[in-house]
Amino acid sequence: MSYPYQIKSLKEYQEAYKESVENPEAFWGNVAESFTWKKKWDKVLEWNFKEPSIKWFQGGKLNITENCIDRHLETNADTPAIIWEPNNPEDHYRVLTYRELHHKVMQFANVLKNNGVKKGHRVCIYMGMVPELAIAALACARIGAVHSVIFGGFSAQSIADRINDAQATVVVTSDGSFRGNKVVPLKETIDDALMSCPSVKRVIVSTHTRTPVSMIKGRDCWWEDEIKIVETDGNPYCPAEEMDAEDLLFILYTSGSTGKPKGVVHTVAGYLIWTTYTFVNVFQYQPGQVHFCTADIGWITGHSYLLYGPLAAGATTLMFEGVPTYPNASRLWDIVDNYKVNILYTAPTAIRSLMGFGLEPLVGKKLTSLKVLGTVGEPINEEAWNWYNEHIGKNRCPIVDTWWQTETGGVLISNIAGVTPSKPSYATWPLPGVVPALVDETGKELEGNDVSGNLVIKQPWPGILRTTYGDHERMRQTYFSTYDNQYFTGDGCYRDENAMYRITGRVDDVLNVSGHRIGTAEVENAINMHAGVIESAVVGYPHAIKGQGIYAYVMYNGRSNNEPELTRQDILATVTRLIGPIAKPDKIQFVSGLPKTRSGKIMRRILRKIAEGEINNIGDTSTLLDPLIVEEIKHNRL
Ligand code: PRX
């Protein structure tokens, strides 16, 4: 596999950037030539950010699995596509070559068809990090079904919300999954979710943990049995459905500042081209290298840089079932050494947590195979960046700090490994096709360098979201109504004297906890569902390992008011039940009231300052209905 669009020098980056923004149609049309089409496009790009309407490669026909699998078979059929490392290092690892992956994806695509799945249907996938998850997602794409992968840590209620929003007809799950020393009962959670999901007709269950599960006649079937049925049919072949460039590929739910999570929609051609282009460029992938992205496929990073981007590039992608600290804090380094990993892509929160174990877990680890390191998901502090650079990269591996979002499909701002300069805690320069700008609160663009503002993007790139599922107006409202004709990222940002970008964090009510996006409104709604809670307000505060922690102020007059610790535990259980353990507040402070303006709006700015410990710098409280409440909250601060 060769990558004619791979940028090899600073000069090539500058040229590619210029061409891509001045003449996007010619630039991306040229990149698209390196992909496999059933029919070429009629028009490269048509867009307006008003409606908004964004169409790339209109008229083009293709299937993403032909690009991710079939086209590699001629020369690279025996190249490992997926290496799977189990949770327990004593268990057997698995390798799927491109030939085997092709076979398994077609088999399962036939299983989906046998179970009534047709082009355009939505299939929910709720599994741990096992190869079957990748196979299931690719099998959907093979037949044109739209997958909606749900992270294995979400609760039954969250799953039900997502299934109902997408009106999924089929669920693919496992009996359970292993994470560290825990067994997560996935099928049981699905059973709870499905009590309120009438659209689901079939549940396909793969066996992994052998956790006992209920199997409901007429609805539930075993993955392995269904595979046997297609095997005895004798014809494993499953043609790749011809898809329009703009047909839906998948929905992935993500949190915003208001309401329930929204279904971000990505479409076939633009997403394929963006993830492949950015994968090959940012990490400077070379054929034969082993790429290890530690993200779960339940998040966008797993979709783009564990699954689609690497496979489309014909890479070997390593999938790890477990967690970096099990059975001990050497685990990632053992994996790197065992499989001679060349590219390691992880989150700052993982780096900080491993840093906390000191250098002992690194004793005897070679790490000589590593060529490029990457980070994603949250701002990386200089200390973590330096540790990663010195102790993992041994000062010889470029670190790419990749800034992007579920909505952007792939990386937008990042240095290019070894090609463009890096700067600790800076995502640095935009990739070709990306036109960032900083604006002030009124929407005025801040020109020049050494400025801070809200980050917007002025032109579409191929991987931009196309809609929010079932509610296009919500997409317009959320991303295109704050500033005219610009995509609003929700992030604050600083541009230094060399025009390098440093992302400073969300400017809306979205938290980033261990690199996971959580809406404060979602957490508040869950807390408020707890009997006895009158009202609550949730803000983020700096957390040494998670980046941000969740701080909840709760007004409570329930029954066991005199047992605050028990109540706290009960509230945590409620949040876990409604959203999942990732949304559990780190701190809960009981308050007798919340600081509100005379019009009844909670002054989050004040609560944020208190949570951050800046109690002497609260600012003006004179517009508050009851300024005294601030004193009480300050006094009892946790
Ligand atoms: O605030 C930014 C932060 O993560 C948000 C997007 O979260 P999500 O959609 O879950 O996608 C995460 C993985 C791409 C952004 O709005 N973020 C992501 N990458 C970085 C980052 N913040 C700083 N530096 C980054 N490299």
mmCIF file of all heavy atoms in Angstrom, residues 331-376:
data_model
loop_
_atom_site.group_PDB
_atom_site.id
_atom_site.type_symbol
_atom_site.label_atom_id
_atom_site.label_comp_id
_atom_site.label_asym_id
_atom_site.label_seq_id
_atom_site.Cartn_x
_atom_site.Cartn_y
_atom_site.Cartn_z
ATOM 1 N N ARG A 331 1.567 -2.978 32.240
ATOM 2 C CA ARG A 331 0.836 -3.670 31.172
ATOM 3 C C ARG A 331 1.031 -3.058 29.780
ATOM 4 O O ARG A 331 1.328 -3.762 28.818
ATOM 5 C CB ARG A 331 -0.661 -3.722 31.515
ATOM 6 C CG ARG A 331 -1.480 -4.584 30.570
ATOM 7 C CD ARG A 331 -1.075 -6.031 30.723
ATOM 8 N NE ARG A 331 -1.565 -6.893 29.658
ATOM 9 C CZ ARG A 331 -2.772 -7.452 29.654
ATOM 10 N NH1 ARG A 331 -3.609 -7.254 30.646
ATOM 11 N NH2 ARG A 331 -3.129 -8.236 28.648
ATOM 12 N N LEU A 332 0.859 -1.741 29.663
ATOM 13 C CA LEU A 332 0.990 -1.149 28.327
ATOM 14 C C LEU A 332 2.386 -1.366 27.771
ATOM 15 O O LEU A 332 2.580 -1.606 26.581
ATOM 16 C CB LEU A 332 0.681 0.352 28.341
ATOM 17 C CG LEU A 332 -0.771 0.784 28.583
ATOM 18 C CD1 LEU A 332 -0.920 2.284 28.332
ATOM 19 C CD2 LEU A 332 -1.745 0.018 27.703
ATOM 20 N N TRP A 333 3.392 -1.270 28.660
ATOM 21 C CA TRP A 333 4.787 -1.385 28.197
ATOM 22 C C TRP A 333 5.089 -2.816 27.780
ATOM 23 O O TRP A 333 5.832 -3.044 26.829
ATOM 24 C CB TRP A 333 5.742 -0.873 29.280
ATOM 25 C CG TRP A 333 5.173 0.331 30.012
ATOM 26 C CD1 TRP A 333 5.084 0.511 31.359
ATOM 27 C CD2 TRP A 333 4.583 1.514 29.418
ATOM 28 N NE1 TRP A 333 4.477 1.706 31.644
ATOM 29 C CE2 TRP A 333 4.152 2.337 30.478
ATOM 30 C CE3 TRP A 333 4.354 1.927 28.120
ATOM 31 C CZ2 TRP A 333 3.524 3.573 30.265
ATOM 32 C CZ3 TRP A 333 3.726 3.156 27.900
ATOM 33 C CH2 TRP A 333 3.329 3.956 28.969
ATOM 34 N N ASP A 334 4.473 -3.782 28.469
ATOM 35 C CA ASP A 334 4.629 -5.175 28.055
ATOM 36 C C ASP A 334 4.018 -5.389 26.670
ATOM 37 O O ASP A 334 4.576 -6.092 25.833
ATOM 38 C CB ASP A 334 3.944 -6.119 29.059
ATOM 39 C CG ASP A 334 4.757 -6.224 30.351
ATOM 40 O OD1 ASP A 334 5.981 -5.996 30.292
ATOM 41 O OD2 ASP A 334 4.156 -6.514 31.410
ATOM 42 N N ILE A 335 2.856 -4.791 26.472
ATOM 43 C CA ILE A 335 2.193 -4.941 25.169
ATOM 44 C C ILE A 335 3.073 -4.327 24.079
ATOM 45 O O ILE A 335 3.276 -4.916 23.018
ATOM 46 C CB ILE A 335 0.787 -4.284 25.189
ATOM 47 C CG1 ILE A 335 -0.128 -5.021 26.175
ATOM 48 C CG2 ILE A 335 0.174 -4.258 23.796
ATOM 49 C CD1 ILE A 335 -1.495 -4.398 26.357
ATOM 50 N N VAL A 336 3.614 -3.147 24.360
ATOM 51 C CA VAL A 336 4.476 -2.482 23.377
ATOM 52 C C VAL A 336 5.646 -3.396 23.024
ATOM 53 O O VAL A 336 5.956 -3.616 21.846
ATOM 54 C CB VAL A 336 4.974 -1.119 23.914
ATOM 55 C CG1 VAL A 336 6.106 -0.563 23.038
ATOM 56 C CG2 VAL A 336 3.824 -0.110 23.985
ATOM 57 N N ASP A 337 6.293 -3.971 24.037
ATOM 58 C CA ASP A 337 7.447 -4.835 23.772
ATOM 59 C C ASP A 337 7.050 -6.147 23.076
ATOM 60 O O ASP A 337 7.696 -6.578 22.128
ATOM 61 C CB ASP A 337 8.213 -5.137 25.068
ATOM 62 C CG ASP A 337 9.123 -3.971 25.467
ATOM 63 O OD1 ASP A 337 9.227 -3.016 24.664
ATOM 64 O OD2 ASP A 337 9.715 -4.014 26.560
ATOM 65 N N ASN A 338 5.963 -6.757 23.553
ATOM 66 C CA ASN A 338 5.558 -8.055 22.989
ATOM 67 C C ASN A 338 5.224 -7.985 21.513
ATOM 68 O O ASN A 338 5.543 -8.885 20.745
ATOM 69 C CB ASN A 338 4.322 -8.605 23.707
ATOM 70 C CG ASN A 338 4.700 -9.188 25.054
ATOM 71 O OD1 ASN A 338 5.883 -9.404 25.309
ATOM 72 N ND2 ASN A 338 3.711 -9.424 25.900
ATOM 73 N N TYR A 339 4.503 -6.956 21.136
ATOM 74 C CA TYR A 339 4.032 -6.871 19.744
ATOM 75 C C TYR A 339 4.844 -5.880 18.924
ATOM 76 O O TYR A 339 4.477 -5.547 17.814
ATOM 77 C CB TYR A 339 2.541 -6.494 19.708
ATOM 78 C CG TYR A 339 1.678 -7.501 20.417
ATOM 79 C CD1 TYR A 339 1.188 -7.243 21.697
ATOM 80 C CD2 TYR A 339 1.374 -8.723 19.824
ATOM 81 C CE1 TYR A 339 0.412 -8.179 22.369
ATOM 82 C CE2 TYR A 339 0.591 -9.656 20.488
ATOM 83 C CZ TYR A 339 0.114 -9.384 21.762
ATOM 84 O OH TYR A 339 -0.655 -10.306 22.410
ATOM 85 N N LYS A 340 5.923 -5.383 19.506
ATOM 86 C CA LYS A 340 6.774 -4.409 18.806
ATOM 87 C C LYS A 340 5.937 -3.258 18.229
ATOM 88 O O LYS A 340 5.956 -2.959 17.019
ATOM 89 C CB LYS A 340 7.577 -5.093 17.708
ATOM 90 C CG LYS A 340 8.369 -6.287 18.237
ATOM 91 C CD LYS A 340 9.686 -6.427 17.560
ATOM 92 C CE LYS A 340 10.643 -7.396 18.205
ATOM 93 N NZ LYS A 340 10.181 -8.226 19.316
ATOM 94 N N VAL A 341 5.194 -2.649 19.133
ATOM 95 C CA VAL A 341 4.323 -1.541 18.737
ATOM 96 C C VAL A 341 5.168 -0.361 18.258
ATOM 97 O O VAL A 341 6.158 0.004 18.884
ATOM 98 C CB VAL A 341 3.451 -1.112 19.947
ATOM 99 C CG1 VAL A 341 2.739 0.210 19.679
ATOM 100 C CG2 VAL A 341 2.451 -2.213 20.287
ATOM 101 N N ASN A 342 4.752 0.224 17.122
ATOM 102 C CA ASN A 342 5.484 1.366 16.577
ATOM 103 C C ASN A 342 4.832 2.706 16.908
ATOM 104 O O ASN A 342 5.513 3.711 17.037
ATOM 105 C CB ASN A 342 5.595 1.249 15.052
ATOM 106 C CG ASN A 342 6.231 -0.060 14.627
ATOM 107 O OD1 ASN A 342 5.578 -0.935 14.048
ATOM 108 N ND2 ASN A 342 7.511 -0.223 14.938
ATOM 109 N N ILE A 343 3.500 2.695 16.993
ATOM 110 C CA ILE A 343 2.788 3.939 17.282
ATOM 111 C C ILE A 343 1.887 3.693 18.489
ATOM 112 O O ILE A 343 1.104 2.738 18.496
ATOM 113 C CB ILE A 343 1.909 4.366 16.083
ATOM 114 C CG1 ILE A 343 2.759 4.484 14.812
ATOM 115 C CG2 ILE A 343 1.201 5.685 16.383
ATOM 116 C CD1 ILE A 343 1.942 4.659 13.548
ATOM 117 N N LEU A 344 2.021 4.526 19.491
ATOM 118 C CA LEU A 344 1.175 4.410 20.683
ATOM 119 C C LEU A 344 0.355 5.684 20.808
ATOM 120 O O LEU A 344 0.899 6.784 20.859
ATOM 121 C CB LEU A 344 2.043 4.224 21.925
ATOM 122 C CG LEU A 344 1.293 4.205 23.256
ATOM 123 C CD1 LEU A 344 0.374 2.986 23.363
ATOM 124 C CD2 LEU A 344 2.264 4.212 24.439
ATOM 125 N N TYR A 345 -0.966 5.504 20.851
ATOM 126 C CA TYR A 345 -1.889 6.650 20.858
ATOM 127 C C TYR A 345 -2.777 6.504 22.083
ATOM 128 O O TYR A 345 -3.544 5.540 22.184
ATOM 129 C CB TYR A 345 -2.718 6.590 19.574
ATOM 130 C CG TYR A 345 -3.563 7.794 19.262
ATOM 131 C CD1 TYR A 345 -3.178 9.086 19.614
ATOM 132 C CD2 TYR A 345 -4.761 7.651 18.553
ATOM 133 C CE1 TYR A 345 -3.964 10.183 19.269
ATOM 134 C CE2 TYR A 345 -5.551 8.740 18.201
ATOM 135 C CZ TYR A 345 -5.147 9.997 18.561
ATOM 136 O OH TYR A 345 -5.923 11.076 18.214
ATOM 137 N N THR A 346 -2.671 7.425 23.030
ATOM 138 C CA THR A 346 -3.433 7.273 24.269
ATOM 139 C C THR A 346 -3.872 8.639 24.798
ATOM 140 O O THR A 346 -3.662 9.662 24.152
ATOM 141 C CB THR A 346 -2.607 6.465 25.300
ATOM 142 O OG1 THR A 346 -3.469 6.079 26.371
ATOM 143 C CG2 THR A 346 -1.442 7.253 25.862
ATOM 144 N N ALA A 347 -4.491 8.640 25.981
ATOM 145 C CA ALA A 347 -5.041 9.879 26.527
ATOM 146 C C ALA A 347 -4.159 10.398 27.662
ATOM 147 O O ALA A 347 -3.549 9.599 28.391
ATOM 148 C CB ALA A 347 -6.451 9.619 27.046
ATOM 149 N N PRO A 348 -4.096 11.712 27.829
ATOM 150 C CA PRO A 348 -3.308 12.275 28.928
ATOM 151 C C PRO A 348 -3.659 11.673 30.289
ATOM 152 O O PRO A 348 -2.784 11.474 31.130
ATOM 153 C CB PRO A 348 -3.655 13.764 28.885
ATOM 154 C CG PRO A 348 -3.970 14.026 27.452
ATOM 155 C CD PRO A 348 -4.655 12.770 26.972
ATOM 156 N N THR A 349 -4.926 11.336 30.485
ATOM 157 C CA THR A 349 -5.336 10.797 31.779
ATOM 158 C C THR A 349 -4.621 9.463 32.056
ATOM 159 O O THR A 349 -4.211 9.183 33.192
ATOM 160 C CB THR A 349 -6.875 10.653 31.845
ATOM 161 O OG1 THR A 349 -7.248 10.348 33.163
ATOM 162 C CG2 THR A 349 -7.402 9.625 30.891
ATOM 163 N N ALA A 350 -4.427 8.658 31.003
ATOM 164 C CA ALA A 350 -3.718 7.384 31.169
ATOM 165 C C ALA A 350 -2.250 7.658 31.495
ATOM 166 O O ALA A 350 -1.665 7.007 32.371
ATOM 167 C CB ALA A 350 -3.838 6.551 29.899
ATOM 168 N N ILE A 351 -1.677 8.632 30.820
ATOM 169 C CA ILE A 351 -0.269 8.968 31.071
ATOM 170 C C ILE A 351 -0.105 9.448 32.517
ATOM 171 O O ILE A 351 0.790 8.994 33.235
ATOM 172 C CB ILE A 351 0.211 10.068 30.092
ATOM 173 C CG1 ILE A 351 0.087 9.571 28.646
ATOM 174 C CG2 ILE A 351 1.646 10.496 30.404
ATOM 175 C CD1 ILE A 351 0.252 10.649 27.592
ATOM 176 N N ARG A 352 -1.007 10.314 32.951
ATOM 177 C CA ARG A 352 -0.892 10.832 34.322
ATOM 178 C C ARG A 352 -1.068 9.717 35.345
ATOM 179 O O ARG A 352 -0.381 9.677 36.360
ATOM 180 C CB ARG A 352 -1.921 11.949 34.555
ATOM 181 C CG ARG A 352 -1.571 13.251 33.847
ATOM 182 C CD ARG A 352 -2.478 14.377 34.316
ATOM 183 N NE ARG A 352 -3.875 14.108 33.995
ATOM 184 C CZ ARG A 352 -4.507 14.615 32.934
ATOM 185 N NH1 ARG A 352 -3.884 15.430 32.106
ATOM 186 N NH2 ARG A 352 -5.765 14.330 32.710
ATOM 187 N N SER A 353 -1.989 8.816 35.059
ATOM 188 C CA SER A 353 -2.206 7.756 36.041
ATOM 189 C C SER A 353 -0.981 6.831 36.097
ATOM 190 O O SER A 353 -0.548 6.425 37.178
ATOM 191 C CB SER A 353 -3.527 7.046 35.743
ATOM 192 O OG SER A 353 -3.338 5.696 35.548
ATOM 193 N N LEU A 354 -0.379 6.542 34.948
ATOM 194 C CA LEU A 354 0.803 5.665 34.948
ATOM 195 C C LEU A 354 2.024 6.375 35.543
ATOM 196 O O LEU A 354 2.847 5.744 36.218
ATOM 197 C CB LEU A 354 1.093 5.170 33.533
ATOM 198 C CG LEU A 354 0.014 4.206 33.012
ATOM 199 C CD1 LEU A 354 0.213 3.913 31.538
ATOM 200 C CD2 LEU A 354 -0.005 2.910 33.814
ATOM 201 N N MET A 355 2.098 7.683 35.327
ATOM 202 C CA MET A 355 3.166 8.485 35.940
ATOM 203 C C MET A 355 3.162 8.333 37.455
ATOM 204 O O MET A 355 4.207 8.300 38.103
ATOM 205 C CB MET A 355 2.871 9.966 35.668
ATOM 206 C CG MET A 355 3.822 10.671 34.786
ATOM 207 S SD MET A 355 3.087 12.281 34.363
ATOM 208 C CE MET A 355 3.647 13.254 35.725
ATOM 209 N N GLY A 356 1.948 8.207 37.984
ATOM 210 C CA GLY A 356 1.769 8.104 39.426
ATOM 211 C C GLY A 356 2.423 6.845 40.004
ATOM 212 O O GLY A 356 2.650 6.772 41.214
ATOM 213 N N PHE A 357 2.694 5.845 39.176
ATOM 214 C CA PHE A 357 3.331 4.616 39.667
ATOM 215 C C PHE A 357 4.852 4.719 39.672
ATOM 216 O O PHE A 357 5.552 3.758 40.005
ATOM 217 C CB PHE A 357 2.899 3.414 38.810
ATOM 218 C CG PHE A 357 1.460 3.031 39.012
ATOM 219 C CD1 PHE A 357 0.455 3.628 38.270
ATOM 220 C CD2 PHE A 357 1.115 2.078 39.958
ATOM 221 C CE1 PHE A 357 -0.880 3.272 38.463
ATOM 222 C CE2 PHE A 357 -0.208 1.719 40.150
ATOM 223 C CZ PHE A 357 -1.214 2.322 39.405
ATOM 224 N N GLY A 358 5.362 5.859 39.217
ATOM 225 C CA GLY A 358 6.809 6.048 39.204
ATOM 226 C C GLY A 358 7.470 5.266 38.082
ATOM 227 O O GLY A 358 6.801 4.825 37.131
ATOM 228 N N LEU A 359 8.779 5.039 38.209
ATOM 229 C CA LEU A 359 9.525 4.427 37.105
ATOM 230 C C LEU A 359 9.687 2.914 37.250
ATOM 231 O O LEU A 359 10.098 2.240 36.309
ATOM 232 C CB LEU A 359 10.897 5.100 36.963
ATOM 233 C CG LEU A 359 10.808 6.580 36.597
ATOM 234 C CD1 LEU A 359 12.191 7.203 36.526
ATOM 235 C CD2 LEU A 359 10.066 6.774 35.270
ATOM 236 N N GLU A 360 9.316 2.397 38.420
ATOM 237 C CA GLU A 360 9.463 0.960 38.679
ATOM 238 C C GLU A 360 8.821 0.091 37.583
ATOM 239 O O GLU A 360 9.452 -0.841 37.072
ATOM 240 C CB GLU A 360 8.877 0.660 40.065
ATOM 241 C CG GLU A 360 8.764 -0.785 40.450
ATOM 242 C CD GLU A 360 10.125 -1.437 40.681
ATOM 243 O OE1 GLU A 360 11.146 -0.723 40.820
ATOM 244 O OE2 GLU A 360 10.143 -2.668 40.690
ATOM 245 N N PRO A 361 7.566 0.393 37.162
ATOM 246 C CA PRO A 361 6.935 -0.448 36.131
ATOM 247 C C PRO A 361 7.669 -0.420 34.791
ATOM 248 O O PRO A 361 7.388 -1.242 33.922
ATOM 249 C CB PRO A 361 5.537 0.164 35.979
ATOM 250 C CG PRO A 361 5.300 0.915 37.241
ATOM 251 C CD PRO A 361 6.641 1.418 37.684
ATOM 252 N N LEU A 362 8.604 0.507 34.626
ATOM 253 C CA LEU A 362 9.320 0.595 33.344
ATOM 254 C C LEU A 362 10.640 -0.169 33.360
ATOM 255 O O LEU A 362 11.292 -0.302 32.319
ATOM 256 C CB LEU A 362 9.600 2.067 33.016
ATOM 257 C CG LEU A 362 8.374 2.831 32.493
ATOM 258 C CD1 LEU A 362 8.547 4.325 32.663
ATOM 259 C CD2 LEU A 362 8.133 2.490 31.032
ATOM 260 N N VAL A 363 10.994 -0.673 34.536
ATOM 261 C CA VAL A 363 12.278 -1.373 34.647
ATOM 262 C C VAL A 363 12.272 -2.613 33.746
ATOM 263 O O VAL A 363 11.328 -3.412 33.781
ATOM 264 C CB VAL A 363 12.564 -1.770 36.117
ATOM 265 C CG1 VAL A 363 13.792 -2.671 36.204
ATOM 266 C CG2 VAL A 363 12.743 -0.518 36.964
ATOM 267 N N GLY A 364 13.298 -2.755 32.912
ATOM 268 C CA GLY A 364 13.403 -3.924 32.037
ATOM 269 C C GLY A 364 12.576 -3.826 30.767
ATOM 270 O O GLY A 364 12.598 -4.726 29.938
ATOM 271 N N LYS A 365 11.825 -2.745 30.603
ATOM 272 C CA LYS A 365 11.023 -2.599 29.377
ATOM 273 C C LYS A 365 11.873 -1.889 28.330
ATOM 274 O O LYS A 365 12.501 -0.871 28.623
ATOM 275 C CB LYS A 365 9.748 -1.787 29.635
ATOM 276 C CG LYS A 365 8.962 -2.229 30.849
ATOM 277 C CD LYS A 365 8.483 -3.659 30.753
ATOM 278 C CE LYS A 365 8.050 -4.142 32.134
ATOM 279 N NZ LYS A 365 7.913 -5.573 32.243
ATOM 280 N N LYS A 366 11.843 -2.434 27.129
ATOM 281 C CA LYS A 366 12.731 -1.870 26.099
ATOM 282 C C LYS A 366 12.119 -0.647 25.418
ATOM 283 O O LYS A 366 12.764 0.374 25.258
ATOM 284 C CB LYS A 366 13.019 -2.931 25.049
ATOM 285 C CG LYS A 366 13.812 -4.115 25.557
ATOM 286 C CD LYS A 366 14.421 -4.810 24.344
ATOM 287 C CE LYS A 366 14.905 -6.196 24.662
ATOM 288 N NZ LYS A 366 13.812 -7.131 24.991
ATOM 289 N N LEU A 367 10.917 -0.788 24.939
ATOM 290 C CA LEU A 367 10.208 0.280 24.229
ATOM 291 C C LEU A 367 10.963 0.779 22.997
ATOM 292 O O LEU A 367 10.739 1.894 22.531
ATOM 293 C CB LEU A 367 9.903 1.462 25.178
ATOM 294 C CG LEU A 367 9.195 1.114 26.497
ATOM 295 C CD1 LEU A 367 8.898 2.381 27.301
ATOM 296 C CD2 LEU A 367 7.880 0.370 26.241
ATOM 297 N N THR A 368 11.859 -0.068 22.483
ATOM 298 C CA THR A 368 12.682 0.379 21.353
ATOM 299 C C THR A 368 11.923 0.382 20.034
ATOM 300 O O THR A 368 12.355 1.013 19.070
ATOM 301 C CB THR A 368 13.919 -0.529 21.191
ATOM 302 O OG1 THR A 368 13.487 -1.875 21.367
ATOM 303 C CG2 THR A 368 14.985 -0.206 22.209
ATOM 304 N N SER A 369 10.791 -0.352 19.980
ATOM 305 C CA SER A 369 10.039 -0.382 18.719
ATOM 306 C C SER A 369 9.294 0.925 18.467
ATOM 307 O O SER A 369 8.922 1.238 17.338
ATOM 308 C CB SER A 369 9.037 -1.540 18.752
ATOM 309 O OG SER A 369 8.201 -1.420 19.889
ATOM 310 N N LEU A 370 9.062 1.693 19.526
ATOM 311 C CA LEU A 370 8.231 2.892 19.377
ATOM 312 C C LEU A 370 8.869 3.925 18.459
ATOM 313 O O LEU A 370 10.061 4.193 18.536
ATOM 314 C CB LEU A 370 7.974 3.528 20.750
ATOM 315 C CG LEU A 370 7.005 2.781 21.664
ATOM 316 C CD1 LEU A 370 6.982 3.409 23.053
ATOM 317 C CD2 LEU A 370 5.599 2.761 21.057
ATOM 318 N N LYS A 371 8.015 4.483 17.592
ATOM 319 C CA LYS A 371 8.490 5.520 16.666
ATOM 320 C C LYS A 371 7.735 6.828 16.869
ATOM 321 O O LYS A 371 8.293 7.904 16.695
ATOM 322 C CB LYS A 371 8.254 5.064 15.221
ATOM 323 C CG LYS A 371 9.067 3.871 14.783
ATOM 324 C CD LYS A 371 10.112 4.319 13.772
ATOM 325 C CE LYS A 371 10.959 3.193 13.225
ATOM 326 N NZ LYS A 371 11.714 2.464 14.254
ATOM 327 N N VAL A 372 6.438 6.714 17.173
ATOM 328 C CA VAL A 372 5.600 7.908 17.302
ATOM 329 C C VAL A 372 4.675 7.714 18.501
ATOM 330 O O VAL A 372 4.144 6.631 18.716
ATOM 331 C CB VAL A 372 4.744 8.121 16.027
ATOM 332 C CG1 VAL A 372 3.745 9.250 16.218
ATOM 333 C CG2 VAL A 372 5.623 8.401 14.808
ATOM 334 N N LEU A 373 4.510 8.781 19.280
ATOM 335 C CA LEU A 373 3.554 8.757 20.392
ATOM 336 C C LEU A 373 2.458 9.780 20.104
ATOM 337 O O LEU A 373 2.727 10.812 19.491
ATOM 338 C CB LEU A 373 4.251 9.141 21.700
ATOM 339 C CG LEU A 373 5.459 8.303 22.112
ATOM 340 C CD1 LEU A 373 6.085 8.881 23.387
ATOM 341 C CD2 LEU A 373 5.043 6.845 22.329
ATOM 342 N N GLY A 374 1.252 9.469 20.584
ATOM 343 C CA GLY A 374 0.171 10.422 20.363
ATOM 344 C C GLY A 374 -0.662 10.608 21.613
ATOM 345 O O GLY A 374 -0.699 9.714 22.472
ATOM 346 N N THR A 375 -1.308 11.761 21.730
ATOM 347 C CA THR A 375 -2.266 11.967 22.818
ATOM 348 C C THR A 375 -3.532 12.584 22.247
ATOM 349 O O THR A 375 -3.504 13.249 21.216
ATOM 350 C CB THR A 375 -1.749 12.875 23.956
ATOM 351 O OG1 THR A 375 -1.856 14.232 23.529
ATOM 352 C CG2 THR A 375 -0.332 12.566 24.337
ATOM 353 N N VAL A 376 -4.625 12.369 22.956
ATOM 354 C CA VAL A 376 -5.928 12.825 22.483
ATOM 355 C C VAL A 376 -6.926 12.909 23.624
ATOM 356 O O VAL A 376 -6.782 12.202 24.614
ATOM 357 C CB VAL A 376 -6.494 11.849 21.420
ATOM 358 C CG1 VAL A 376 -6.631 10.449 21.966
ATOM 359 C CG2 VAL A 376 -7.830 12.330 20.871
#
